[in-house]
């Protein structure tokens, strides 16, 4: 059976969040995930107005009971959103949610008059699915150096740039790698299953920290495990987790975020509105992954880089393929993606330094690139069979052993490369303003690459080694 990655990952995340019934959207498609039976609104008077409007709309619908329209706590939080339950989450199937769709329609006219959105789905923000990463990790021998290799820059505790990574937590043996000597933060909650097999996406945050440290050795890196739960969190909780992460150690110079979601809109995520407003007033630069849907549809929070008022505070990052000349097949693209960096088959820190750790592949590779490319992309190379891709379990999934390093692909990893280059520029030029460093770096150091026929700004670390791409005939 051909892989159906979105559906496979939907099942994985639903198992990790069993108390939250999920649906796919927008209606009758599979572009994002959201909580069934619930919508988000801003706290306060707007929430009360929306609730009254939705209640009146549903009164005229014979198949919905008014009692279904009730608040679903927590009612308020720092992110400034309220969840309102508009239907029974047990009704219907995962392909659509009529109650949520009706609630969105009920306020459309009022939104037009108000000039802003008043209600939204409660999306799942994630590193998984087609968001990030773009494939599953591949073991790399310890004898093979990281790629990008560690830059020859001494660590200076007096001027080290502060980088905050919001992701999954650090693997237990990360300190066995000298590259992460100046990294600290949250531990990964549960690395392996009862059989000692590595869980999917464990090591994602560790891998990212290794890339930042390689590109910019004079950094103090903190990893917050805000996405430890299968790399996914509801939008209603995401803003709060972002606030908690920066509150724990103060606003950093650079915030590296390799997670997000599309939502079918061009005006951002309701659940992070308050955080993004506060970010704008800080000096922190948010470097965010553009996502791996092979699409021009905005992916949030990265796409804030294209909204008025956030041009300086957000840098959205797409992925170059392994030769650095073109975009990777999976990368999102479009005018809202402001820069591209190497993001295919990078080598960094994972786990297994103290003792080898087994991993069983979850997804099979494809017979042909799912985005129509003809080079040896991560869609189909290296070949492996995954446990989730065959309903009949007619083939045994492939298993590998990790012994420290891994090769991995995604805009998840192009993002810390770009974040590291901003930090390295700050160190080299004694620049204390990360947003100024971003402007200077793109003005003076950016080359170009081709993405979907367009010439785009590209950042390539001096220690990164390009790898020539393989040309494969379709189906090979």
């Amino acid at each position: 059976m051909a892989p159906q990655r979105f559906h496979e990952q939907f099942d994985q995340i639903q198992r990790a969040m069993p108390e939250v019934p999920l649906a796919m959207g927008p209606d009758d498609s599979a572009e994002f995930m959201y909580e069934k039976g619930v919508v988000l609104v801003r706290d306060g008077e707007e929430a009360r107005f929306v609730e009254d409007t939705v209640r009146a709309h549903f009164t005229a619908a014979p198949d919905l009971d008014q009692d279904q329209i009730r608040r679903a706590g927590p009612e308020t939080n720092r992110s400034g959103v309220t969840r309102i339950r508009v239907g029974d989450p047990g009704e219907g199937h995962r392909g659509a949610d009529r109650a949520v769709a009706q609630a969105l329609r009920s306020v459309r006219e009022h939104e037009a008059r108000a000039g802003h959105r008043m209600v939204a789905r409660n999306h799942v923000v994630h590193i998984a699915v087609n968001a990030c990463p773009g494939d599953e990790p591949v073991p790399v021998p310890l004898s093979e150096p990281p790629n990008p290799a560690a830059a020859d820059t001494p660590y200076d505790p007096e001027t080290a740039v502060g980088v905050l990574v919001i992701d999954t937590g650090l693997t237990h043996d990360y300190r066995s790698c000298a590259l992460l000597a100046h990294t600290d933060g949250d531990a990964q909650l549960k690395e392996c299953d009862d059989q000692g097999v590595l869980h999917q996406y464990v090591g994602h945050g560790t891998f990212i920290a290794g890339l930042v440290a390689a590109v910019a050795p004079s950094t103090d890196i903190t990893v917050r495990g805000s996405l430890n739960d299968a790399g996914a969190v509801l939008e209603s909780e995401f803003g709060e987790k972002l606030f908690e992460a920066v509150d724990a150690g103060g606003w950093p110079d650079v915030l590296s975020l390799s997670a997000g979601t599309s939502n079918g809109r061009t005006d951002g995520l309701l659940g992070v509105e308050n955080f993004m407003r506060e970010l704008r007033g800080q000096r922190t630069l948010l470097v965010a992954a553009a996502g791996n849907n092979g699409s021009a549809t905005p992916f949030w929070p990265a796409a804030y880089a294209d909204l008025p008022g956030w041009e300086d505070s957000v840098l959205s990052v797409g992925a170059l393929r392994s030769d650095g000349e073109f975009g990777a097949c999976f990368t999102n693209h479009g005018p809202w993606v402001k820069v591209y960096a190497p993001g295919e088959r990078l080598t960094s820190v994972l786990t297994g330094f103290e003792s080898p750790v087994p991993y069983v592949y979850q997804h099979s590779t494809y017979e042909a690139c799912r985005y129509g490319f003809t080079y040896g992309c991560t869609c189909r190379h290296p070949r492996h069979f995954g446990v989730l891709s065959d309903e009949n379990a007619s083939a045994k999934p492939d298993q590998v052993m990790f012994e420290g390093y891994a090769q991995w692909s995604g805009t998840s990893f192009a993002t810390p490369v770009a974040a590291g280059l901003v930090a390295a520029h700050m160190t080299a030029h004694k620049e204390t303003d990360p947003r100024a460093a971003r402007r200077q770096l793109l003005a003076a150091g950016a080359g170009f690459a081709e993405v979907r026929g367009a010439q785009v700004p590209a950042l390539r670390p001096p220690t990164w080694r390009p790898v020539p791409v393989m040309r494969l005939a379709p189906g090979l």
Side-chain angles (χ1 to χ4, degrees):
M1 184 175 107
Q4 299 290 325
R5 184 165 184 184
F6 186 93
H7 293 267
E8 293 166 9
Q9 280 302 330
F10 181 96
D11 292 338
Q12 287 281 81
I13 290 177
Q14 182 65 91
R15 282 193 288 270
M17 305 170 70
E19 74 287 356
V20 182
L22 300 177
M24 297 177 183
D27 303 317
D28 301 320
S29 68
E31 295 179 17
F32 51 73
M33 294 178 286
Y34 62 98
E35 183 180 11
K36 288 183 70 175
V38 167
V39 295
L40 291 187
V41 297
R42 294 178 185 84
D43 292 338
E45 290 298 324
E46 192 159 289
R48 285 185 280 275
F49 172 79
V50 169
E51 186 170 4
D52 290 343
T53 302
V54 170
R55 188 184 301 277
H57 180 82
F58 280 167
T59 300
D63 58 339
L64 287 170
D65 191 311
Q66 279 195 14
D67 290 340
Q68 290 179 311
I69 305 166
R70 59 191 183 277
R71 297 195 180 276
E75 186 166 328
T76 61
N77 55 42
R78 189 175 172 188
S79 61
V81 293
T82 293
R83 293 166 64 245
I84 297 178
R85 183 167 296 137
V86 296
D88 182 356
E91 288 187 355
H93 57 87
R94 69 185 191 176
D97 188 326
R98 280 195 306 158
V100 168
Q102 284 183 286
L104 296 176
R105 286 194 296 269
S106 71
V107 298
R108 195 167 291 162
E109 183 179 328
H110 302 286
E111 288 179 327
R113 286 200 296 268
H116 66 266
R117 179 174 34 158
M118 303 175 74
V119 64
R121 293 177 175 90
N122 192 16
H123 301 89
V124 176
V125 178
H126 45 70
I127 64 170
V129 199
N130 292 325
C132 234
D135 64 353
E136 293 178 87
V138 176
V140 172
L142 284 172
S143 57
E144 183 176 325
N147 188 22
D152 186 18
T153 305
Y155 172 77
D156 181 357
E158 297 298 320
T159 61
V161 177
V163 179
L164 173 61
V165 174
I166 297 180
D167 208 270
T168 62
L170 293 159
T171 49
H172 73 282
D173 57 354
Y174 80 94
R175 288 197 180 278
S176 299
C177 180
L179 197 62
L180 297 183
H182 306 292
T183 299
D184 210 342
D186 300 333
Q188 176 72 42
L189 294 181
K190 188 176 182 182
E191 295 185 16
C192 298
D193 63 17
D194 294 340
Q195 285 72 49
V197 177
L198 200 67
H199 283 300
Q200 195 174 17
Y201 303 116
V202 166
H204 192 266
T206 308
F207 194 95
I208 286 169
L211 291 170
V212 174
V215 175
S218 191
T219 46
D220 288 323
I221 303 169
T222 303
V223 178
R224 289 291 165 224
S226 306
L227 300 171
N228 260 332
D229 192 0
V233 63
L234 288 171
E235 181 182 339
S236 56
E237 302 169 9
F238 185 46
E240 194 72 13
K241 284 185 176 290
L242 291 173
F243 275 123
E244 289 171 358
V246 297
D247 287 348
W251 287 86
D253 295 310
V254 179
L255 196 167
S256 182
L257 177 65
S258 293
T261 181
S262 59
N263 65 353
R265 298 186 61 99
T266 59
D267 55 356
L269 286 180
L270 204 59
V272 299
E273 219 172 55
N274 280 8
F275 179 83
M276 295 304 296
R277 284 202 193 97
E278 191 159 331
L279 168 74
R280 191 164 53 185
Q282 301 291 332
R283 57 186 296 277
T284 296
L285 175 67
L286 170 61
V287 185
N292 300 337
N293 300 319
S295 168
T297 300
F299 186 81
W300 308 98
Y304 275 94
D306 205 43
L307 293 186
W310 280 279
E311 304 93 331
D312 280 349
S313 54
V314 182
L315 179 62
S316 50
V317 186
L320 299 175
R321 71 185 192 185
S322 60
D323 65 358
E325 297 301 319
F326 295 87
C329 71
F330 52 76
T331 189
N332 282 350
H333 51 90
W336 57 273
V337 183
K338 299 306 178 182
V339 75
Y340 292 77
E344 190 175 66
R345 299 195 174 99
L346 301 181
T347 300
S348 184
V349 184
L350 192 75
T351 191
F353 289 98
E354 296 175 353
S355 60
V357 183
Y359 177 72
V360 175
Y361 281 102
Q362 303 296 298
H363 308 288
S364 297
T365 45
Y366 294 76
E367 291 301 314
C369 174
R370 53 188 156 158
Y371 305 109
F373 286 70
T374 57
Y375 76 98
C377 64
T378 57
C379 293
R380 51 181 174 161
H381 180 80
R383 303 288 292 173
H384 52 250
F385 179 79
V387 66
L388 298 176
S389 297
D390 190 341
E391 293 177 343
N392 301 315
S394 60
K396 184 178 180 181
D398 293 326
Q399 179 173 310
V400 292
M401 299 290 287
F402 286 105
E403 299 181 277
Y405 290 151
Q407 191 179 84
W408 217 343
S409 305
T411 59
S412 272
F413 311 125
T415 296
V417 169
L421 284 169
V422 172
H425 183 91
M426 293 176 67
T427 299
H429 297 274
K430 297 182 172 56
E431 175 60 68
T432 58
D433 182 349
R435 298 181 183 182
R438 167 206 181 272
R439 292 192 297 271
Q440 296 160 12
L441 184 65
L442 291 179
F448 291 90
E450 183 178 317
V451 176
R452 307 278 176 154
Q455 291 295 306
V456 298
L459 295 172
R460 304 175 182 91
T463 61
W464 170 71
R465 304 182 303 279
V467 179
V469 300
M470 296 181 294
R471 290 292 177 184
L472 299 178
L476 296 180

